[in-house]
Amino acid sequence: MQNSSSPVSVPVLSPEVADALAAGRPVVALESTLLAHGLPRPENRKAADEVEDAVRRGGAVPATIAVLDGVPHVGLTAAEVDRVCADPELAKLGVRDLPVAAALGRSGATTVSSTALLAARAGIGVFATGGLGGVHRHASDTFDESADLTALARTSLVVVCAGVKSILDVPATLERLESLSVTVVGYRTLRFPGFYVADSGSSIDWAVETPAEAARVFAARRELAPGAVVVANPLPVDQQLDAELHDRVIADALAAADAAGARGKDVTPFILGHLHEASQGASLEVNVRLVLRNAELAGQIAAELAALPR
């Protein structure tokens, strides 16, 4: 389907999102890659509603983002969410892929980088996700680094996440975020979370204690320079994946990936599949749990941000 009338720079807003933004009410952006590629069907459709409900509990309007027939949509109808969750052929769209999808009328789920870009274009200041992409292990040889990092360096919004998956090189990821001048704060912690586990083993310099503090940090950043504020929100220890199981399975999965010759973008799904199987599905339960927590906190931060003078 050819689409030449809706450039990628002009996303279509759902009526609810458009009304909220026009009235200055809080809105939280949500990615769609989690739904299309991160969770199994049909559980992904249930999770889509749960994540949006968590944003509402936090006091904000949810805006799930996807590209449908070449047109970026910020805020999806129930039928559009059904489409994203049901289509096994839906593309995965980073920033580099958006112009191709727009020009050729293709559909796809948005990653962290493209969701951040489209959210900022729509005037949304807060984004909730599971975990960021980062620097992959052996990146000094492969140059394998997520586009999320550079996207956050030039996009002004709050990103609430559970850190990065510990299959990545977490210290190198934090170094890159520092080099790119992305502000990173822990939510009530000075330990950077490792997605499935509360502590990745790396420390960070700053913490905020309340959603209001996070909102004020972003307001100050927005006045100073473009770029994101990453709010790293760890799971409580009693809700994380068993740490011993996590460490053992990750080590086994990395060795298996190396033995299988998995390289580049194939490494992450290989390891996550190994983790899911070895944990008997517990890793997916943790994934949904942390996304819900991040969505609710993002709603609270968005509500505090909307209350600040502009």
Side-chain angles (χ1 to χ4, degrees):
M1 175 179 176
Q2 190 82 15
N3 176 20
S4 58
S5 60
S6 297
V8 71
S9 60
V10 186
V12 172
L13 308 183
S14 71
E16 183 183 22
V17 170
D19 289 347
L21 290 173
R25 296 196 303 273
V27 179
V28 171
L30 300 168
E31 60 158 299
S32 49
T33 291
L34 170 71
L35 307 178
H37 304 287
L39 298 173
R41 299 172 181 83
E43 289 88 344
N44 59 346
R45 185 61 184 84
K46 178 184 176 184
D49 288 338
E50 291 176 341
V51 175
E52 291 201 348
D53 288 345
V55 170
R56 295 186 194 280
R57 283 197 305 273
V61 170
T64 302
I65 296 178
V67 177
L68 302 175
D69 302 317
V71 180
H73 287 253
V74 177
L76 302 180
T77 66
E80 289 166 345
V81 175
D82 289 344
R83 178 178 171 184
V84 167
C85 290
D87 185 359
E89 301 301 320
L90 203 67
K92 185 176 181 179
L93 303 177
V95 171
R96 68 171 189 169
D97 308 301
L98 290 177
V100 181
L104 303 183
R106 304 295 174 80
S107 300
T110 53
T111 65
V112 168
S113 65
S114 54
T115 303
L117 172 67
L118 293 171
R121 289 284 177 88
I124 297 172
V126 182
F127 168 29
T129 187
L132 301 180
V135 178
H136 286 245
R137 301 187 189 209
H138 310 300
S140 59
D141 298 322
T142 64
F143 296 93
D144 193 355
E145 178 182 310
S146 172
D148 295 353
L149 303 183
T150 51
L152 295 181
R154 55 178 179 256
T155 309
S156 293
L157 78 174
V158 178
V159 182
V160 182
C161 66
V164 299
K165 292 183 177 70
S166 50
I167 62 174
L168 301 173
D169 187 331
V170 178
T173 299
L174 288 171
E175 288 289 347
R176 284 293 287 143
L177 287 168
E178 181 181 353
S179 298
L180 292 166
S181 295
V182 174
T183 300
V184 178
V185 298
Y187 189 67
R188 299 175 179 170
T189 182
L190 290 173
R191 305 296 297 177
F192 192 66
F195 196 78
Y196 297 113
V197 292
D199 186 350
S200 68
S202 294
S203 62
I204 48 180
D205 294 329
W206 300 99
V208 294
E209 296 299 320
T210 65
E213 287 186 355
R216 292 201 301 272
V217 169
F218 175 63
R221 170 76 198 227
R222 186 170 56 190
E223 292 298 315
L224 181 66
V229 171
V230 172
V231 177
N233 182 33
L235 279 171
V237 172
D238 62 357
Q239 294 183 28
Q240 70 176 359
L241 191 64
D242 179 80
E244 184 176 330
L245 169 69
H246 171 271
D247 293 347
R248 184 182 73 252
V249 172
I250 291 293
D252 291 346
L254 287 167
D258 188 58
R263 295 289 183 271
K265 66 180 182 180
D266 296 327
V267 173
T268 296
F270 183 99
I271 294 175
L272 295 183
H274 195 98
L275 181 61
H276 172 59
E277 182 178 351
S279 68
Q280 299 181 317
S283 63
L284 283 177
E285 294 177 11
V286 171
N287 195 341
V288 173
R289 191 181 306 141
L290 64 86
V291 171
L292 295 178
R293 284 174 48 82
N294 293 345
E296 185 168 358
L297 176 58
Q300 295 168 351
I301 294 171
E304 293 289 351
L305 185 63
L308 293 176
R310 289 296 299 263

